[in-house]
Amino acid sequence: MTKNILITGGSRGIGLGIAIALAKMGCALAINGRRSAKEVQKTIEDLREYGNKVVYCQGDIASPQDRDNIISETIKALGQIDVLVNNAGVAPEKRLDLLGTTPESYDRVMETNLKGPFFLTQKIANHMIANPQNPEGIKGCIINISSVSANMASPERSEYCLSKAGIAMMTKLFAVRLGEHHIPVFEVRPGIIETDMTSGVIKKYQDLIQQGLTLQPRLGQPEDVGKAVAALVEGKFPYGTGQVLMVDGGLHIPRF
């Protein structure tokens, strides 16, 4: 049974790792991103090599109009949305001390990382309620990709931490509201993953990992997150709505 899945920010980094894992499962994918279709053409073609339908829906989830377009294009291409993976996110353009964080940076990060996913999820949740299952009886779910920054404080990127803490609560809120409709909602919380977002500080993280920052002495990879999301999409946790799945090599475990 093919599941129709919308992945925001799915053309690179963690989102692409998720897309590859789900393409291997045989899912039909709508990949969202801000880049032009021409810029991601090779990526989309590579995903199609796994044999299922893959479409690209360009748009910025921070934009209300773009959110509507992303949803309508996905439904037009795939028929309906069975699974939403909220992955798109941005880091602050400059890492500023908490006492110097600007309203402009705060708004930019929050619009993309929290407000956009919240209202995208709201619309898609209503779509899922109106279409409880497709003709093959496929059950849907919602998966939010957050970060260990949801509960680990980094004063030099406070707006990012706040946005991810908001995603954690958003997961709980939608899990509570959608429980009666049998739509599970999950949070996947990655640790230090090697992507373009972390490339500027990757040497710092590598050194910290060698010093014992994580229990597993390596950087996380996008495919690590992809495998976790695939398990949720496959229905491996049918009685676990609202739960957090840590993909951080043990980073979150307090030690002394």
Side-chain angles (χ1 to χ4, degrees), residues 15 21 37 44 63 66 76 85 87 113 136 153 165 170 175-176 205 245:
I44 299 302
S63 162
D66 282 8
K76 181 180 178 180
V85 180
N87 167 76
N113 292 10
E136 294 178 307
M170 185 182 112
V176 170
Y205 288 141
L245 184 57

Side-chain angles (χ1 to χ4, degrees), residues 34-139:
R34 294 188 300 183
R35 292 183 291 169
S36 70
K38 183 177 181 180
E39 290 177 283
V40 302
Q41 181 178 350
K42 176 65 165 57
T43 298
I44 299 302
E45 290 174 353
D46 288 346
L47 288 170
R48 287 173 179 156
E49 289 296 317
Y50 293 101
N52 286 286
K53 189 168 188 176
V54 181
V55 298
Y56 183 63
C57 301
Q58 183 185 7
D60 185 348
I61 63 167
S63 162
Q65 184 60 58
D66 282 8
R67 290 195 294 269
D68 288 345
N69 291 341
I70 292 163
I71 293 170
S72 62
E73 288 176 16
T74 300
I75 293 172
K76 181 180 178 180
L78 303 184
Q80 76 173 58
I81 301 170
D82 300 313
V83 176
L84 167 63
V85 180
N86 281 310
N87 167 76
V90 296
E93 291 181 327
K94 293 182 179 180
R95 292 190 173 210
L96 299 175
D97 181 83
L98 172 64
L99 300 182
T101 301
T102 66
E104 293 78 14
S105 180
Y106 182 94
D107 289 345
R108 172 182 169 273
V109 171
M110 284 294 188
E111 289 281 344
T112 299
N113 292 10
L114 184 56
K115 184 177 179 180
F118 179 88
F119 286 105
L120 184 73
T121 301
Q122 182 188 73
K123 286 181 176 291
I124 290 178
N126 280 305
H127 165 78
M128 290 177 170
I129 291 168
N131 301 273
Q133 60 182 39
N134 67 22
E136 294 178 307
I138 292 173
K139 299 295 184 180

